[in-house]
Amino acid sequence: QVQLVESGGGRVQPGGSLRLSCVASGRGFSINVMGWYRQAPGKERESVARISSGGTINYQDSVLGRFTISRDNAKNMVYLQMNYLIPEDTAVYYCNAFGREIGQVYDMNYWGKGTLVTVSL
């Protein structure tokens, strides 16, 4: 089983910055796409940013120019640098990995438990 553990959440004032990190661990796996999703209170989970193993990146429009996703394939880690945070960014942020363990035929989604980001005065 691939396990994902996030870190770096917290409370920050509007205009501030936070950096989220996520590490994947397990026995014998490969990950195609890693990314970050978020879920605000009363809303559905949404994609924030994703990065493929080859470096292709997609961002949600609302975070373009403010958030930067990066990945260290050797360490099985993905990061999300969040700048110019606004209250609307308040949510639980989840790390996601789309990949497979040795012996699996298809890729599947793996999820971390989430880390809370609160943007407020």
Side-chain angles (χ1 to χ4, degrees), residues 3 19 36 77 83 87 90 108:
Q3 295 182 329
R19 186 181 191 232
W36 294 93
M77 294 194 71
N83 299 327
T90 296
M108 60 182 293

Side-chain angles (χ1 to χ4, degrees), residues 58-79:
N58 294 101
Y59 291 106
Q60 181 192 111
D61 287 349
S62 69
V63 307
L64 276 172
R66 299 189 299 120
F67 291 9
T68 302
I69 190 171
S70 60
R71 177 173 174 173
D72 186 331
N73 290 329
K75 296 181 179 179
N76 293 314
M77 294 194 71
V78 64
Y79 308 94

Side-chain angles (χ1 to χ4, degrees), residues 31-109:
I31 298 175
N32 183 4
V33 181
M34 296 191 80
W36 294 93
Y37 287 69
R38 68 185 180 187
Q39 187 166 18
K43 296 188 177 181
E44 294 185 355
R45 189 174 298 189
E46 62 181 7
S47 175
V48 176
R50 295 175 296 166
I51 181 169
S52 72
S53 57
T56 300
I57 293 173
N58 294 101
Y59 291 106
Q60 181 192 111
D61 287 349
S62 69
V63 307
L64 276 172
R66 299 189 299 120
F67 291 9
T68 302
I69 190 171
S70 60
R71 177 173 174 173
D72 186 331
N73 290 329
K75 296 181 179 179
N76 293 314
M77 294 194 71
V78 64
Y79 308 94
L80 187 67
Q81 178 66 42
M82 305 185 293
N83 299 327
Y84 306 108
L85 284 160
I86 59 178
E88 290 76 13
D89 294 320
T90 296
V92 177
Y93 284 70
Y94 296 92
C95 179
N96 170 265
F98 185 66
R100 68 182 71 178
E101 297 169 75
I102 291 177
Q104 288 183 330
V105 177
Y106 302 105
D107 286 345
M108 60 182 293
N109 279 304

